[in-house]
Amino acid sequence: MTKTMSIRMDRENYEILSEMSKHQSSDLSKAVRELVTRGRVLLAVERYKSGEASLGNAAEVAGLPIGQMMDVLKEFGIKSRIEHEDYRQSLTNLAGVW
């Protein structure tokens, strides 16, 4: 379900959003939604990198599946903190599901 909200922002940010929407031939709402989505991903990357979030938590913040979050972290040059034993255990858990 979508929600409607109004926000206040300074002129400079409004002008940047307006330019983005013109450049992408879309409306202002779509530009805001895109920035929020990108912001969630960046926040997740920062939290994972600093150790504040696990891979699963980071994926949840970003709104992405874990595999896609792993790809995003790789794009940012952030190495996985998953230990070999954790990986083996996840494979064992996965095998138990099937």
Side-chain angles (χ1 to χ4, degrees):
M1 173 188 341
T2 61
K3 298 280 186 178
T4 302
M5 65 183 286
S6 61
I7 59 172
R8 294 180 194 268
M9 68 177 62
D10 60 38
R11 182 190 274 309
E12 182 181 357
N13 284 328
Y14 180 81
E15 289 172 359
I16 288 171
L17 284 170
S18 294
E19 279 301 311
M20 283 178 59
S21 62
K22 287 178 192 173
H23 180 70
Q24 297 173 351
S25 299
S26 66
D27 62 13
L28 197 57
S29 293
K30 185 174 179 182
V32 170
R33 287 191 303 273
E34 183 179 331
L35 282 177
V36 168
T37 299
R38 289 176 181 233
R40 287 179 64 182
V41 171
L42 288 175
L43 178 61
V45 167
E46 289 173 3
R47 286 185 178 173
Y48 182 83
K49 184 177 180 180
S50 71
E52 294 177 50
S54 66
L55 179 59
N57 294 135
E60 191 174 314
V61 168
L64 300 173
I66 290 176
Q68 193 173 351
M69 188 68 212
M70 291 172 74
D71 291 340
V72 168
L73 291 169
K74 183 178 177 183
E75 289 173 16
F76 278 87
I78 299 170
K79 295 187 180 205
S80 173
R81 295 189 319 258
I82 297 175
E83 300 292 326
H84 182 72
E85 186 55 37
D86 294 330
Y87 179 73
R88 284 190 38 190
Q89 184 61 45
S90 66
L91 289 177
T92 301
N93 293 344
L94 185 60
V97 172
W98 290 340

